[in-house]
Amino acid sequence: MAHPFADILAEARLAGRALVEFGQGLFEPTIRLGVTGLSRSGKTVFITALVHGLTRGGRFPVLEASARGRIARARLAPQPDDAVPRFDYEGHVRVLTTERRWPQSTDRISELRLLIDYQSQRGASRTLTLDIVDYPGEWLNDLPLLAKSYQQWSAESLALSAQAQRTEIAAPWRAYVASLDPLAGEDEQVALKAAGLFTDYLKACRNERYAMSLLPPGRFLMPGDLAGSPALTFAPLIYQDEGVPPAGSLAAMMRRRYESYKDVVVRPFFEDHFARLDRQIILVDALAALNAGPDAVRDLESALASVLECFRVGRKTFASTLFRPRVDRIVFAATKADQLHHSSHERLEAILARMLERAAARASTAGVGIDVVALAAVRATREARVRRGREELPCIIGVPAAGEVVGGEVFDGTSEAAMFPGDLPEDPSAVLGAASTFRGLATGSPQDADFRFLRLRPPKLDQLDGRAVLPHIRLDRALQFLIGDQMR
Ligand SMILES: Nc1nc2c(ncn2[C@@H]2O[C@H](COP(=O)(O)OP(=O)(O)OP(=O)(O)O)[C@@H](O)[C@H]2O)c(=O)[nH]1
Ligand SMILES: [Mg+2]
């Protein structure tokens, strides 16, 4: 470890807080639920739908306490952390339900406390405190950096940028790095240019056409108030020597800033947020990767391995068992499943499960329960079978978002359409692995792609006993695994 003393202090602080939180949880159950996923994966919609459903007594047949009528009510309460922004639940619900628009993108951590009054199986009245923490998946992807030297990270980033589709996107940055002498004198302008080109490459990987997932350091894509600071002005160099680079050199400058990034950004996130979570849901937009093509799917698979690695790295970084991250259940959820006919939901689950199996083979997940579910936090479609020639296709009906184009038709965001997004294969290996050859947006035009998932407008509300609730798909299954056992 780079800072043994700092780590001891951090452990002591975490221990103090863990004791206080433990004391509070003795009488009534408390769960800190982390909700994460890469940007646009569906975090804000998921939390909004979850809170809306629970506070309005929505339909959750698979959530046992709800199905048996043991939940009396759920209500919002002031959150425990004064320094963390509150999740703007009311604002997001208003936009979703009255304007039928999706909420704005959010790029920082936020928190919300929900109290659920329920009756235990033995009949006692209890309250489950659910603290929901929404944080960008990009921050999670940063955790493995804690265990990596600057040199290791440089070598890995360069190797990654040489893979398949990345080479082309990374060309301008790679050409610049190749021209640099790591032992030349430190130079702010060089650091700025290298960091700028490196960030451009990461951003290009992220767009809809490529939909790449594995892109640390996370703050390069979401700098927040650290934008322009030295802790964000560094980039990999071609420098293999594991020792400390000579003082005053470019390599020494980059290495120092990389270490600052870990101290200023990664470590505080680990201690203040990650290490305190009890349960975790990781939202994955697997359909976006399928839309983009085989490279994006392979990239997503590596990102999942790196996510699993985070839970392991956490355990390794803090040596004593008491203060390790305490996450004991993780749900991986393929979101926006309403973009598929239900006949493909299980196939989507099978694809995600297969990716995770392969990822888990690389990173041990001992001691953590994992569940995989395909869900739609907010269901924006209905289903129908549409005849095309002799064939009957399983279609979905919804309102494509303004600007979406299909077969030359541009949608205005008000008219309904029946869509056939493509059938997912029965055997997941057809879209996974080095040999998969299905066609995506990254290599051809949208008409040639095997799958086409459109952005849709949020639905009209369902009526349930005179109350309006948001329709969903399998949100209750995720909830049963994440909190059901605490409401026995
Ligand atoms: N059809 C459908 N679309 C969804 C669903 N959830 C999210 N989306 C779409 O995905 C987009 C992103 O959802 P958000 O909840 O804002 O995602 P996020 O992870 O909070 O995104 P950032 O705040 O940008 O990190 C939305 O604008 C919708 O277009 C869903 O359940 N069904
Ligand atoms: Mg968000």
Side-chain angles (χ1 to χ4, degrees), residues 39-40 42-45 87 92 103-108 134:
S39 73
R40 313 315 288 149
K43 302 178 288 294
T44 304
V45 172
F87 181 86
H92 297 319
Q104 289 281 326
S105 192
T106 43
D107 59 2
R108 51 180 194 171
D134 168 1

Side-chain angles (χ1 to χ4, degrees), residues 183-266:
L183 297 179
E186 61 179 25
D187 182 336
E188 188 67 52
Q189 293 312 312
V190 170
L192 279 168
K193 180 151 187 206
L197 287 169
F198 183 57
T199 310
D200 290 346
Y201 146 64
L202 296 178
K203 281 189 181 148
C205 287
R206 162 55 52 80
N207 76 25
E208 184 189 25
R209 212 167 121 88
Y210 297 107
M212 304 270 180
S213 308
L214 190 64
L215 309 162
R219 292 299 202 292
F220 279 44
L221 292 170
M222 291 188 193
D225 46 14
L226 282 176
S229 67
L232 258 56
T233 312
F234 63 93
L237 288 173
I238 302 170
Y239 185 72
Q240 310 292 346
D241 190 347
E242 261 305 323
V244 179
S249 66
L250 186 61
M253 179 195 206
M254 295 287 202
R255 179 174 172 275
R256 191 174 64 239
R257 291 179 172 188
Y258 171 82
E259 292 299 334
S260 300
Y261 181 83
K262 293 204 292 193
D263 289 341
V264 179
V265 173
V266 189

Side-chain angles (χ1 to χ4, degrees), residues 128-447:
L128 169 69
T129 302
L130 182 62
D131 287 325
I132 306 171
V133 184
D134 168 1
Y135 65 93
E138 286 75 359
W139 298 12
L140 185 65
N141 252 340
D142 271 354
L143 288 181
L145 299 183
L146 285 178
K148 272 176 208 163
S149 69
Y150 171 70
Q151 285 87 335
Q152 273 172 318
W153 171 72
S154 280
E156 281 179 18
S157 301
L158 278 155
L160 194 63
S161 72
Q163 279 176 11
Q165 240 151 33
R166 288 191 183 226
T167 16
E168 196 184 318
I169 320 174
W173 167 64
R174 287 173 61 90
Y176 188 63
V177 184
S179 76
L180 296 178
D181 173 8
L183 297 179
E186 61 179 25
D187 182 336
E188 188 67 52
Q189 293 312 312
V190 170
L192 279 168
K193 180 151 187 206
L197 287 169
F198 183 57
T199 310
D200 290 346
Y201 146 64
L202 296 178
K203 281 189 181 148
C205 287
R206 162 55 52 80
N207 76 25
E208 184 189 25
R209 212 167 121 88
Y210 297 107
M212 304 270 180
S213 308
L214 190 64
L215 309 162
R219 292 299 202 292
F220 279 44
L221 292 170
M222 291 188 193
D225 46 14
L226 282 176
S229 67
L232 258 56
T233 312
F234 63 93
L237 288 173
I238 302 170
Y239 185 72
Q240 310 292 346
D241 190 347
E242 261 305 323
V244 179
S249 66
L250 186 61
M253 179 195 206
M254 295 287 202
R255 179 174 172 275
R256 191 174 64 239
R257 291 179 172 188
Y258 171 82
E259 292 299 334
S260 300
Y261 181 83
K262 293 204 292 193
D263 289 341
V264 179
V265 173
V266 189
R267 227 177 283 275
F269 165 68
F270 179 84
E271 291 169 12
D272 296 340
H273 303 293
F274 186 75
R276 296 167 64 204
L277 298 175
D278 303 302
R279 301 277 159 94
Q280 175 70 59
I281 180 162
I282 292 161
L283 305 180
V284 180
D285 192 348
L287 297 181
L290 287 166
N291 225 348
D295 284 317
V297 172
R298 276 190 283 276
D299 208 71
L300 177 60
E301 207 174 315
S302 315
L304 290 174
S306 129
V307 163
L308 287 176
E309 175 78 8
C310 296
F311 290 90
R312 199 176 64 86
V313 165
R315 284 162 195 264
K316 208 171 56 182
T317 311
F318 285 86
S320 66
T321 33
L322 251 184
F323 316 122
R324 282 176 194 173
R326 50 194 197 204
V327 171
D328 61 348
R329 288 188 178 198
I330 308 176
V331 169
F332 284 88
T335 53
K336 314 180 196 179
D338 58 323
Q339 290 170 302
L340 284 173
H341 191 266
H342 76 269
S343 51
S344 280
H345 289 166
E346 278 177 14
R347 297 179 180 187
L348 177 59
E349 247 166 51
I351 291 172
L352 184 58
R354 180 71 66 85
M355 281 188 190
L356 279 163
E357 252 169 51
R358 291 153 52 127
R362 287 192 258 167
S364 139
T365 51
V368 183
I370 292 183
D371 195 16
V372 177
V373 57
L375 60 78
V378 172
R379 174 181 194 161
T381 58
R382 295 175 283 126
E383 297 187 345
R385 299 190 81 85
V386 172
R387 196 163 268 294
R388 195 185 285 170
R390 285 217 205 122
E391 254 185 318
E392 246 200 13
L393 296 177
C395 287
I396 50 168
I397 300 176
V399 179
E404 286 287 11
V405 187
V406 176
E409 184 184 353
V410 184
F411 287 93
D412 61 0
T414 59
S415 38
E416 255 191 3
M419 295 154 272
F420 175 64
D423 270 332
L424 294 185
E426 215 164 311
D427 177 6
S429 47
V431 288
L432 300 176
S436 84
T437 52
F438 70 94
R439 290 161 302 179
L441 294 180
T443 42
S445 76
Q447 289 92 304

